[in-house]
Amino acid sequence: IARPVSVALGLKADGQGRLWVAGAPTPSMHVVDIATGERLARFTTPQGAWLINDVALTAEAAYFTDTLRPVLWRVARDSLADAALEPWLSFEGTALEYGEEPNLNGIVATPDGRYLIVVLMKTGRLFRIDTHTRKVAMIDTGASALDGGDGLALVGQRLFVVRQSAGEVVALDLSPDLSAASEVKRIKPAELAWPATVAVRGDRLIVANSQLNRRASGDPALPFSLASIPLSAFD
């Protein structure tokens, strides 16, 4: 039995009883059996500076962001054997330029799996990635402040961006071709505590309160919590 995963950031359940895990400061990604906690597969990346941060699933693959290296990682959904990976997409020479850390963080896939949307955390810029052609294009968000963007969630054409340091969630409506987004509303619920990743559950957003701002002081408010926000709060 493979030992359990010791460190994780982004998580996604695939509807088949498996959890896909971004390995954080380890250079790896994992697939875990949700019922037993056993690790089914481990995917490693070349040595160097790394931060495997978040994951999005399509019908064919899992895509992982790397906050320190300007690449995107891809694992086929039917690949359940340990393997060493090479970058699926390099951002060098594209509109998505890495700069001062932190860089890529949140990622979400469109329902048909054709496009990925990612956010550069430091600048708040959003990008569209075509999974067929691997072309990268910036999404025009106008003057909307999205710096500190962490988790992303997509409901229809509405994109939700969790701004970690600002402690708020921003809703934007995407154009049909995902080339632009217009801000609808931003809210700052009192229960958010340095929020990070986000998931949609029915008619609500579930936001993880990371309290990462308390790492240095070592005094988080216990227990750690999730915040539940109705989608209707953004109407």
Side-chain angles (χ1 to χ4, degrees):
I1 298 175
R3 66 181 183 275
V5 178
S6 59
V7 184
L9 281 176
L11 309 169
K12 288 294 186 302
D14 65 6
Q16 297 176 286
R18 302 176 304 196
L19 190 67
W20 296 74
V21 181
T26 68
S28 56
M29 307 83 164
H30 313 269
V31 184
V32 175
D33 185 296
I34 295 174
T36 66
E38 295 177 19
R39 191 176 64 204
L40 304 175
R42 177 174 182 255
F43 308 100
T44 57
T45 66
Q47 292 295 317
W50 53 73
L51 185 63
I52 312 300
N53 203 323
D54 203 1
V55 54
L57 298 179
T58 68
E60 291 79 27
Y63 296 88
F64 295 84
T65 57
D66 193 321
T67 301
L68 301 185
R69 292 176 289 193
V71 300
L72 195 69
W73 305 95
R74 181 187 186 277
V75 179
R77 286 272 297 267
D78 58 3
S79 297
L80 288 183
D82 291 2
L85 301 180
E86 292 296 329
W88 177 76
L89 172 62
S90 170
F91 296 119
E92 293 184 8
T94 73
L96 201 166
E97 297 180 355
Y98 270 42
E100 185 180 352
E101 299 170 9
N103 288 288
L104 271 197
N105 192 327
I107 183 171
V108 67
T110 55
D112 62 1
R114 177 63 190 270
Y115 295 102
L116 306 170
I117 298 172
V118 295
V119 61
L120 275 175
M121 191 174 191
K122 182 72 175 181
T123 64
R125 291 181 182 140
L126 297 174
F127 295 85
R128 181 196 69 195
I129 300 171
D130 189 319
T131 60
H132 291 186
T133 66
R134 308 192 196 191
K135 289 184 178 179
V136 180
M138 188 165 70
I139 299 173
D140 182 3
T141 57
S144 184
L146 300 173
D147 52 297
D150 193 325
L152 302 179
L154 186 63
V155 180
Q157 291 297 114
R158 180 158 292 180
L159 179 71
F160 298 92
V161 181
V162 176
R163 294 185 69 207
Q164 190 179 99
S165 55
E168 67 179 11
V169 182
V170 185
L172 305 103
D173 281 347
L174 293 158
S175 62
D177 64 356
L178 310 183
S179 65
S182 57
E183 183 175 324
V184 176
K185 190 174 183 179
R186 58 181 64 216
I187 66 173
K188 197 169 185 174
E191 63 266 34
L192 293 184
W194 214 259
T197 194
V198 59
V200 179
R201 177 69 174 175
D203 61 354
R204 307 186 75 86
L205 292 179
I206 308 299
V207 186
N209 286 320
S210 74
Q211 299 190 68
L212 288 173
N213 58 320
R214 292 175 176 249
R215 284 178 299 177
S217 58
D219 62 342
L222 300 177
F224 280 89
S225 65
L226 301 173
S228 176
I229 304 171
L231 296 178
S232 59
F234 296 92
D235 294 336

